[in-house]
């Protein structure tokens, strides 16, 4: 409880305008998933938050009632999945407490099926925006133009342009010009959905700037090409350095995290026997395993055949991991790099301890998520 | 003759199958037809729907017995809207195989030679069928939407529809496709369409009977096809050639013809050489040559040499056919060459009443023709004897040839029929030749225009036409050209 | 290192019993659209599962000569499953197709509409096989399991297995009738029954790797040697588990586990590792922009604090090796050194010394795949 | 004789060996040349096809197709990026998708992987023509399958046979039949085989188990549209079948094709892994495999239209075999296209005009042909002694003896019968087959030689240079040709002196070799002048009348009318008799020759019946017969049906009426005949222009030898003339004798008067002195017309 209080204070400190018309905080920031039925909302949430293999989303039956997921991570986020058919603003007998819904909403995610006739969906989106703009102008509206896999690039961008223009025109007709509406091309068959979510989430992070500064700094000192701070469970990255975005490096880092998770599960998630431990701590080592290891946190590295751009990972806490793409040759300088990384990791811990009064007793080793992960991709 | 025509398709489930064929049972057996198939479909199917590398090109294969060839153009259209991502079909023809000497070892009689089983004309038909139906399929799914299209030997219709059934994995891709080309799923049912089977039937019949066909396939498309014979590329036309018309151009020529062609044709009189024709028709020499070459291709003219009394002609083996009056050649000749309406000439008879001889000739040993007249005239040509000399010879013998025959026509007839050949006159300069051999001399640009003719490769006709000289003049100039006396030689060949 | 000495002894012993290059005819059959070419292209041509959507139908027989390790060549007969072709295999090409067969892989499409028909064809195939290649092994894959709700998979699979076994028995019975030499038959019959293995597979998960790993497992020459040597290596570096992968397909060629390693609750971890590493390889190729079936990473190490350590590394020209071991920096480093030192003992995996291409070139294995799946649409 | 289409590098682009095995399936073993160009398919609009040029809406078709092609191909073609553009086809490439492009795995623009499939046809094609065209490429072959029982190797006894490939053909036939019969037991055979091999080394067993089921040597042709059939035909008959049989022979005896293929495939696999340059690899393969080498030879030789000599090093020793497309070394008539590939060929009708019934008789050829060596005698002798064998000695002997002036027959004699006619023939054939010599009518200084109308003046430069080297002190080639060509004269007249005779004959031979000159021959037809025709007609009529009268004489007492006739022209009747006599003689003599010349007489009889002339059997009887038959038929009728007196009276009256009528007719005809001018024999019928001959035109007898009926009477009549001359000749015994001989030789010679046998050859044929022959011919020259050509 008091955490929230804190949080609120901080928030009020950081973004006064936000807190201005914010009701007394009720729970974590909230993401709303809306859109026509069969537009893929459920698939999205199940893939992103339940690690469901994309091809298995075929079996998901369409949502009948609001489904609430909560992402418990470095910060708790709620995801509300709205059934497509529900018209929040239309139906006169208002069964919905609009405030309850949109009160502390972080962002509204509107999903449009790109492979379907989207005119109606756009219309409804437009309608929704209008309604929201009146009462909650600060709400970010994130439009996911979805199911773009299997579409040619030109075609994708055509669609995006169409929709964007439609919305903007409609809005400006209504006198609304700079509504916070963003568009993302997404698909559950590649990383685009995760990237989109990353963008959405990042907007919710207080002091994002500082995080980015730290990462940027790290990259400079260690000659990293790119560094991400990942939320391990969702593969959403909550921050990166200030070098330009680059899908491919994000993707490989994502998958790197995946591989690590899988390895962890297969070899790290089951208890070893005592005699095993005894043997290892006996001759010739004569010290507890904890002391035999160089680093008490999970660390990993990978070298490509062309020995360019090695990748390294370092656990930050039980939710977060630092993943970085190095420059060629720098793998030899691993020692210094590790030292630098240690420093940064410490810094990050600090950061989060401050931002959310969660005092980390001692860094606990990254645990594989309880439910077994499907390896399929 | 088209022995069979078929429409084969690759079905994702049944594989390569014949959908339509004509005559029925010519490729795969159908109930009610006990006539054996033209060949074993099992053996040839891999050539009818081949692997990808060989699709979308013209393919022919002969079946093992060597009697027939299958001509086809397997088309595959790739599109994710199709099950297995492609639609593969082939409209093929079966024609007699080009007869090869003892083709099959079991010595089946090699079919009749000659152009009756020439496959070349059918290639365009096959290509046209492929192109047309491919286009129609792409536009309206003409073939893939055809619900009646199931293998002729397919007992249960499972295969018929399967090109359209889409596995779940496809569903979204197809939907996407739908968005992309919205004209995709327009109702093909709305077409008045002719069943392909009957279409093939008509094509076969028309092509076999009329050598062409014009068949509406549906409201939008019509198949126009014609069999064009394929000839060898005609020989090069030279400036000194004399074209002779084989048809009455006046009758066939029409305003739609190429203008140059029309002009040139107008001056083909069997006397004028190409160069002169070009001048008279007022077209560039090259164009004239081109035009004539065209006429040659369609075998409407033939090329002779310039006729001169000073020129010399000699018999060639073909003359024996003449003597034997093969195909009534002699009579034909008589009608062709006789001057001033006199009927036929004979060595002695003073024209007019040669009827007796004629009658007897035809009644008796048909060969010996009517009177030895033309034979004698023909056979007496000889190497080293100019027409003039030949004429004199007969005059002296008391035969007033000129009275009875148009000598030019006689000679030309001989040449055309292959009884005579022109003995050409070539001039050779020893020195020039030697020079060329050693590579010293090149035909000097500024030098004497005649020199380049003295390598023996050029006939006097050429020299005369190109230099606009008479034989005598040319000879004079050439003589003056050469330094030493014995240098110049004239070779008759 | 105390280990290297005794290992070298094993090695010497092992080298003695090495065999020359082996060739195997592998028939890949099943009804059209059951997913033969897809699985083939995934295993051997580094296709992504979703790329296989783009494949066209296989016309007649698509032959590929796949080099596996240095000393095994799989003549992979991917037989188009259209009825017309099947008829052809069973009649015209019968002898040609079914003689000298080492392995028959028969693929059933779980969602097939006409099971009876499929089984009928299957029976014909089996009897044809029995007629021409009695010693052939049979692998039956019940494919496209991903299209079944995960909850029902088990049940449906078992029921299918039962049917197939029954039909196989019938097929053998048919052989009885047609072949008058009972002596040879009895064993051939037994052969067919014994050498039949069934798998539930899907191109979307590791089940495919499980099936294929067991298919090639028996085909790999010198297996004994490999195992003994892996064992001695494992002991030497006191690892918990060692997996040996073929470099391109990432199928598990051989493995070794310590007592502790055997306690690992994840029974499917081997094929799972195959799957993970293969897709990791794809990620890398996408990242580096280098060809899918080119070699991608050389080194992958992961130390999970005091829980465990592991590394995957390029081993011989044709193999990768995965070592899972207890934590500890020193232990880890020495293990890596030892593995490097052990490479020479496994050289034979690259086949006769001649065929090992000069360094820096794409090694032997690759050649085999390049010419198959000519129209690789993956990059689209 | 002359082939219209011959293989050349343009239309014969490559040769490839494909095999099929039950274990690893079809394999593309080897191809040559290393780079078979990818001929652009017409669908890409490369072909200049008149038809297509003319209607443009059909041009769309090709474009569409090409678009489709690129569309469907996009997956496969896009994969090898731009690098293919400037690829040397020697190095290996790696595509974006990582697959390795191996230079030798694309042939003629197709992946060998696909070719090997399409080029291993079903067993139905075993030993048949297999021809598939992949626009515009034609793949032609003669696939050879293993016998049904799966065993290539022949039974022992056959292995011992060292016989050549030819008779292998026969045995092969047998073997396949046998296999066909023993359908099922084939399997058990195969098993037996397996067991047997199990004994042998693992290697062996492995091979056997995965045995080759067929091999197919494929020829890639790229003919012009209209030449497809000719080219395929020529290649198939002369090359493809023969070579495949040779391979089959070796395969059966020593598993040759498979062993070699295995070797080659191994090398290629290695090459693929080591990324060897194709050029290097190919050199290696050609060096190590005699099969590959033989394919090289085949391509190099055949595409240059030379003789391909295969040397196959099989386990059971070297097998050699040679194939070629026999080149025409002459044409019988001017080729249509003066610049065509036939220009420059020697022209002669000597071969095409061989009388059909003599074609089989070796003697005829022996007498009519001589061997003209194309290379220098010494050179050839050296060649022979190069690789000596049993025949070498006598062959050298042969070479020494044969001269272009001597017919084979004479060579035989000259070699004082060291060489039998058979040998002469055999060796001659040998040299001709190996293109070291050609057969020509023997050269003779008295014959006329003209510049070959077909000679290729473009070659004159080099030729005259060579000529100058060969015959330094003699007239230059152009001049000599000019001299020859001015007017046809016997060759000797060009020769300044007897001393030069020898060298001039050499010059002639030289010119013959180069196709610069050809002999001007004389062909003759008998011409029957009106006088003769009239005479024969007249005689026939007379005979008819006399016999008619004789017939009537039987019926009733002679009527005055006949006496008139007999009185009217005694001479005529005599002449008639004379004629008939000669006619008879004429026939006999003709029959004689006919019978000993050939059997053609028999075949001639039927068509005589169609003739309204007398049949050969009894020339004199028939007219009478026919007449009497006419009447006697009636009488017989009457005799049959004599009943009542009245009727008899009536009948008699009728008969008389008929008789009278007949008599009257006869009388009239007799009158007419009498009125006709009696034939008068002039010394020179050809110029007899008597009035009664006007309107009769001379006739030509096409083939005196086959002459029958009236024509034969013409011939004999002419013979009679000649004899008359002999008789008429005043005094001078010698002359008399001479004319006599002319008369005798007439029936002997007239068989040459058929427009096909050159009179120049008579001397050789009849083994007479040619001078003599010419004199005789001149003597009878009035009675035939001549045509002169080569």
């Amino acid at each position: 409880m008091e955490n929230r209080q804190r949080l609120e204070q901080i928030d009020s400190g950081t973004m006064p305008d936000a807190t201005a018309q914010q009701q007394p905080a009720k729970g974590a920031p909230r993401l709303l998933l809306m859109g026509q039925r069969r537009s893929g909302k459920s698939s999205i949430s199940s893939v992103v938050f339940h690690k469901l293999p994309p091809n298995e989303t075929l079996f998901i039956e369409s949502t009948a009632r609001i489904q609430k997921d909560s992402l418990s991570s470095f910060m708790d986020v709620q995801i509300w999945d709205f059934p497509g058919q529900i018209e929040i603003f239309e139906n006169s007998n208002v069964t919905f407490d609009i405030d309850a819904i949109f009160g502390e909403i972080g962002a509204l995610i509107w999903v449009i099926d790109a492979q379907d006739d989207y005119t109606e969906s756009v219309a409804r989106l437009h309608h929704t925006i209008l309604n929201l703009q009146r009462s909650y102008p600060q709400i970010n509206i994130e439009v996911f133009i979805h199911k773009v896999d299997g579409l040619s690039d030109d075609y994708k961008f055509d669609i995006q342009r169409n929709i964007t223009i439609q919305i903007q025109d409609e809005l400006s007709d209504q006198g609304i010009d700079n509504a916070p509406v963003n568009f993302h091309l997404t698909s559950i068959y590649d990383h685009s959905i995760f990237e989109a979510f990353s963008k959405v989430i990042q907007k919710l992070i207080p002091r994002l700037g500082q995080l980015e500064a730290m990462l940027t700094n790290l990259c400079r000192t260690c000659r990293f090409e790119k560094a991400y701070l990942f939320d391990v469970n969702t593969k959403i990255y909550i921050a990166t350095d200030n070098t330009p975005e680059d899908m491919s490096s994000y993707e490989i880092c994502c998958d790197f995290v995946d591989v690590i998770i899988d390895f962890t599960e297969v070899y790290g998630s089951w208890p070893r026997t005592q005699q095993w431990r005894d043997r290892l701590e006996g001759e010739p080592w004569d010290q507890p395993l904890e002391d035999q290891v160089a680093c008490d946190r999970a660390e990993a590295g990978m070298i490509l055949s062309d020995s360019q751009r090695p990748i390294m990972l370092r656990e930050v806490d039980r939710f977060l991991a630092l993943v970085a793409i190095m420059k060629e040759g720098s793998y030899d300088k691993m020692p210094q790099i590790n030292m630098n990384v240690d420093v940064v990791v410490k810094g990050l811990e600090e950061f989060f301890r401050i931002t959310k009064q969660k005092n980390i007793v001692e860094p606990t080793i990254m645990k594989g998520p309880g439910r077994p992960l499907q390896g399929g991709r | 003759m088209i022995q069979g025509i078929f429409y084969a398709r690759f079905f994702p489930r049944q594989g390569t199958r014949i959908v339509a064929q004509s005559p029925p049972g010519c490729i795969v057996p159908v109930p009610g037809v006990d006539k054996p198939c033209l060949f074993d479909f099992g053996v040839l199917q891999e050539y009818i729907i081949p692997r990808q590398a060989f699709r979308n090109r013209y393919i022919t294969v002969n079946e093992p017995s060597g009697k027939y060839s299958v001509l086809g153009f397997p088309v595959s259209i790739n599109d994710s809207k199709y099950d297995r991502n492609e639609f593969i079909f082939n409209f093929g023809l079966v024609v007699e195989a080009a007869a090869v000497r003892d083709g099959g070892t079991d010595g089946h009689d090699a079919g009749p030679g000659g152009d009756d089983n020439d496959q070349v004309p059918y290639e365009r038909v096959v290509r046209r069928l492929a192109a047309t139906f491919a286009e129609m399929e792409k536009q309206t799914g003409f073939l893939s939407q055809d619900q009646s299209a199931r293998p002729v030997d397919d007992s249960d219709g499972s295969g018929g529809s399967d090109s359209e059934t889409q596995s779940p994995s496809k569903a979204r891709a197809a939907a996407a496709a739908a968005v992309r080309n919205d004209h995709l799923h327009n109702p093909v049912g709305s077409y008045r369409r002719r069943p392909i089977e009957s279409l093939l039937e008509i094509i076969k019949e028309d092509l076999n009977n009329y050598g062409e066909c014009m068949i509406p396939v549906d409201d939008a498309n019509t198949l126009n096809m014609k069999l064009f014979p394929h000839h060898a590329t005609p020989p090069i036309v030279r400036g000194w050639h004399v074209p002779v018309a084989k048809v009455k151009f006046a009758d066939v020529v029409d305003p739609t013809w190429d203008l140059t062609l029309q002009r040139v044709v107008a001056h083909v009189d069997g006397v004028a050489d190409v160069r002169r024709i070009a001048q008279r028709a007022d077209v560039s020499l090259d164009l004239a040559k081109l035009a004539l070459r065209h006429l040659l291709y369609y075998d409407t003219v033939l090329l002779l040499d310039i006729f001169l009394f000073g020129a010399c002609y000699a018999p060639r083996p073909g003359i024996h056919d003449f003597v034997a009056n093969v195909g009534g050649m002699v009579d034909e000749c008589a009608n062709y060459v006789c001057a001033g309406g006199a009927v036929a000439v004979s060595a002695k008879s003073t024209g007019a009443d040669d009827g007796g001889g004629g009658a007897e000739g035809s009644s008796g040993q048909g060969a010996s023709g009517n009177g030895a007249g033309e034979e004698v005239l023909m056979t007496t040509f000889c190497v080293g004897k100019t027409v003039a000399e030949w004429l004199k010879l007969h005059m002296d013998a008391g035969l007033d040839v000129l009275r009875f025959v148009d000598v030019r026509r006689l000679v030309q007839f001989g040449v055309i029929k292959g009884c005579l050949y022109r003995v050409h006159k070539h001039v050779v300069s020893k020195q020039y030749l030697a020079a060329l051999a050693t590579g010293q001399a090149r035909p000097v640009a500024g030098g004497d225009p005649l020199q380049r003719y003295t390598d023996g490769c050029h006939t006097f006709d050429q020299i005369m036409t190109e230099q606009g000289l008479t034989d005598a003049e040319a000879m004079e100039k050439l003589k003056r050209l050469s330094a030493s006396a014995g240098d110049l030689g004239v070779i008759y060949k | 290192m105390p280990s290297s000495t005794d290992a070298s002894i094993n090695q010497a012993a092992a080298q003695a019993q090495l065999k020359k290059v082996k060739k195997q005819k592998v028939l890949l059959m099943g009804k059209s659209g059951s997913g033969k070419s897809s699985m083939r292209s995934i295993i051997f041509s580094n296709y992504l599962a979703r790329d296989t959507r783009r494949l066209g139908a296989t016309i007649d027989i698509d032959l590929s000569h796949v080099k596996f390790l240095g000393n095994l060549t799989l003549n992979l007969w991917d037989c188009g499953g259209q009825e017309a072709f099947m008829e052809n295999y069973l009649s015209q090409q019968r002898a040609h197709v079914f003689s000298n067969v080492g392995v028959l892989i028969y693929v059933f499409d779980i969602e097939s509409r006409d099971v009876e028909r499929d089984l009928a064809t299957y029976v014909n195939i089996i009897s044809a096989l029995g007629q021409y290649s009695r010693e052939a092994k049979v692998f039956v894959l019940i494919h496209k399991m991903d299209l079944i709700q995960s909850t029902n998979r088990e049940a449906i699979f078992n029921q299918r297995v039962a049917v197939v076994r029954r039909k196989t028995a019938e097929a053998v019975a048919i052989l009885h009738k047609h072949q008058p030499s009972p002596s040879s038959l009895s064993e051939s019959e037994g052969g067919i029954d014994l050498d039949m293995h069934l798998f539930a597979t899907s191109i979307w998960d590791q089940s495919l790797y499980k099936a294929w790993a067991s298919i090639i497992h028996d085909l790999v020459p010198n297996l004994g040697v490999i195992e003994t040597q892996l064992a001695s290596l494992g002991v030497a570096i006191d690892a918990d588990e060692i997996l040996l992968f073929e470099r391109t397909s990432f199928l598990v060629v051989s493995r070794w586990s310590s007592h502790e390693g055997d306690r690992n609750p994840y029974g499917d971890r081997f094929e799972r590792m195959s799957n993970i590493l293969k897709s990791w390889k794809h990620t890398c190729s996408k990242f580096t922009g280098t060809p899918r079936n080119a070699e991608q990473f050389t080194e992958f190490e992961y130390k999970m604090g005091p829980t465990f350590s592991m590394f995957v590394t390029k081993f011989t020209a044709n193999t990768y090796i995965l070592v899972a071991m207890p934590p500890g920096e020193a232990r880890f480093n020495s293990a890596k050194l030892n593995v490097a030192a052990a490479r020479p003992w496994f050289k034979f995996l690259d086949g006769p010394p001649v065929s090992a291409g000069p360094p820096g070139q794409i090694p032997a294995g690759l050649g085999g795949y390049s010419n198959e799946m000519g129209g690789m649409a993956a990059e689209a | 004789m002359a082939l219209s289409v011959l293989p050349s590098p343009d239309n014969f682009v490559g040769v490839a060996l494909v095999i099929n095995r039950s274990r690893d399936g079809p394999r593309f073993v080897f191809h040559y040349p290393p780079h078979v160009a990818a001929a652009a398919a017409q669908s890409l609009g490369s072909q200049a096809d008149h038809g297509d040029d003319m209607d443009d809406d059909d041009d769309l078709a090709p474009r569409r197709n090409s678009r489709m092609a690129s569309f469907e191909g996009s997956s496969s073609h896009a994969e090898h990026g731009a690098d293919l553009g400037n690829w040397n086809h020697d190095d290996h490439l790696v595509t974006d998708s990582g697959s390795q492009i191996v230079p030798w795995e694309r042939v003629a623009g197709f992946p060998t992987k696909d070719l090997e499939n399409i080029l291993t046809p079903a067993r139905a094609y075993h030993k048949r023509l297999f021809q598939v065209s992949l626009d515009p490429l034609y793949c032609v072959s003669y696939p050879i399958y293993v016998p049904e029982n799966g065993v290539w190797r022949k039974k022992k006894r056959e292995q011992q046979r060292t016989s050549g490939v030819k008779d292998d053909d026969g045995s092969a036939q047998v073997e396949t039949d046998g296999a066909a019969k023993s359908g099922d037991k084939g399997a058990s055979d195969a098993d037996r085989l397996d067991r047997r091999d199990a004994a042998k080394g693992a290697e062996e067993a492995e091979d056997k188990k995965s045995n080759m089921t067929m091999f197919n040597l494929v020829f890639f042709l790229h003919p012009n549209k209209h030449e497809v059939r000719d080219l395929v035909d020529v290649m198939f008959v002369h090359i493809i079948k023969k070579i495949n049989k040779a391979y089959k022979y070796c395969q059966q005896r020593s598993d040759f094709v498979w062993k070699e293929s295995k070797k080659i495939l191994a090398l290629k696999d290695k090459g693929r892994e080591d990324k060897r340059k194709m050029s290097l690899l190919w050199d290696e393969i050609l060096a190590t495999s005699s099969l590959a080498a033989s394919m090289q030879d085949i391509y190099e030789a055949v595409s240059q239209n030379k003789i391909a000599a295969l040397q196959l090093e099989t386990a059971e020793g070297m097998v050699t075999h040679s194939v070629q497309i026999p080149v025409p070394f002459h044409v019988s008539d001017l080729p249509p296209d003066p610049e065509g590939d036939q220009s420059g060929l020697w022209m002669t009708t000597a071969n095409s005009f061989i009388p059909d019934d003599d074609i089989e008789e070796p003697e005829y050829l022996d007498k009519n042909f001589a061997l003209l060596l194309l290379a220098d005698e010494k050179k050839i002798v050296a060649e022979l002694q190069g690789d000596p064998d049993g025949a070498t000695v006598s062959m050298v002997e042969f070479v020494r003896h044969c001269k272009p002036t001597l017919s084979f027959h004479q060579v035989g004699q000259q070699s004082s019968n060291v060489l039998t006619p058979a040998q002469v023939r055999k060796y001659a054939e040998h040299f001709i087959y190996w293109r070291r010599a050609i057969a020509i009518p023997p050269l003779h200084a008295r014959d006329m030689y003209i510049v070959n109308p077909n000679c290729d003046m473009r070659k004159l430069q080099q030729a005259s240079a060579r000529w100058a080297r060969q015959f330094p002190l003699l007239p230059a080639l152009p001049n000599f040709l000019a001299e020859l060509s001015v007017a046809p004269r016997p060759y000797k007249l060009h020769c300044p002196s007897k001393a030069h005779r020898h060298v001039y004959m050499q010059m002639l031979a030289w010119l013959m070799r180069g196709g610069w000159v050809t002999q001007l021959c004389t062909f003759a037809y008998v011409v029957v002048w009106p006088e003769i025709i009239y005479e024969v007609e007249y005689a026939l009529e007379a005979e008819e009348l006399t016999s008619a009268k004789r017939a009537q004489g039987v019926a009733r007492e002679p009527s005055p009318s006949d006496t008139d006739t007999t009185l009217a022209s005694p001479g005529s009747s005599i002449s008639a008799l004379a004629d008939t006599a000669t006619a008879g003689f004429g026939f006999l003599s003709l029959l004689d020759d006919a019978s000993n010349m050939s059997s053609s007489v028999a075949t001639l009889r039927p068509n005589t019946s169609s003739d309204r002339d007398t049949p050969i059997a009894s020339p004199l009887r028939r007219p009478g017969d026919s007449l009497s038959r006419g009447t006697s038929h009636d009488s017989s009728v009457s005799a049959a049906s004599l009943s009542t007196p009245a009727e008899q009276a009536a009948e008699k009256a009728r008969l008389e009426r008929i008789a009278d009528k007949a008599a009257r007719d006869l009388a009239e005809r007799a009158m007419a005949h009498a009125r006709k001018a009696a034939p008068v024999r002039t010394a020179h019928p050809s110029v007899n222009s008597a009035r009664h001959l006007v309107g009769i035109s001379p006739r030509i007898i096409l083939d005196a030898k086959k002459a029958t009926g009236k024509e034969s009477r013409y011939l004999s009549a002419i013979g009679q003339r000649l004899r008359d001359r002999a008789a008429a000749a005043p005094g001078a015994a010698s002359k008399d004798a001479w004319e006599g001989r002319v008369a005798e030789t007439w029936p002997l010679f007239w068989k040459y008067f058929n427009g096909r046998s050159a009179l120049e050859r008579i001397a050789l044929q009849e083994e007479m002195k040619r001078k003599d022959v010419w004199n005789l011919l001149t003597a009878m020259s009035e009675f035939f017309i001549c045509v002169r050509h080569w």
Side-chain angles (χ1 to χ4, degrees), chain A residues 38-51:
Chain A
R38 308 300 298 142
S39 58
K41 301 180 296 298
S42 314
S43 313
I44 291 176
S45 53
S46 46
V47 166
V48 176
F49 303 109
H50 302 294
K51 293 247 167 284

Side-chain angles (χ1 to χ4, degrees), chain B residues 139-141 145 182-193:
Chain B
Q139 285 169 3
T140 68
Q145 305 281 315
D182 40 350
H183 66 288
L184 188 73
H185 289 305
N186 58 4
V188 174
S190 71
Y191 281 101
R192 277 194 300 99
R193 63 186 297 160

Side-chain angles (χ1 to χ4, degrees), chain A residues 115-116 147 149-151 155 189, chain B residues 168 172-173 175-177 179-180:
Chain A
Q115 297 189 355
D116 197 355
K147 299 185 187 174
D149 51 297
L151 299 191
Y155 188 67
Y189 290 93
Chain B
R172 282 175 43 255
V179 179
R180 257 167 292 166

Side-chain angles (χ1 to χ4, degrees), chain A residues 256 260 293-301 312-315 334 338 342 366, chain C residues 300-305 308 310 329:
Chain A
F256 194 73
I260 297 299
V293 300
C295 168
D296 55 0
R297 299 167 190 232
E299 58 180 334
M312 61 83 67
L313 172 144
R314 174 70 73 87
E315 172 187 18
M334 228 30 212
N338 280 329
D342 288 335
M366 176 192 291
Chain C
F300 195 130
E301 51 183 62
Y302 175 36
K303 296 171 227 161
M304 185 177 169
F308 79 105
M310 67 179 289
E329 199 66 14

Side-chain angles (χ1 to χ4, degrees), chain D residues 39-54:
Chain D
Q42 191 200 332
S43 57
L44 307 175
S46 71
Q47 267 267 0
D49 178 342
H50 285 252
D52 279 347
D53 301 347
M54 302 204 78

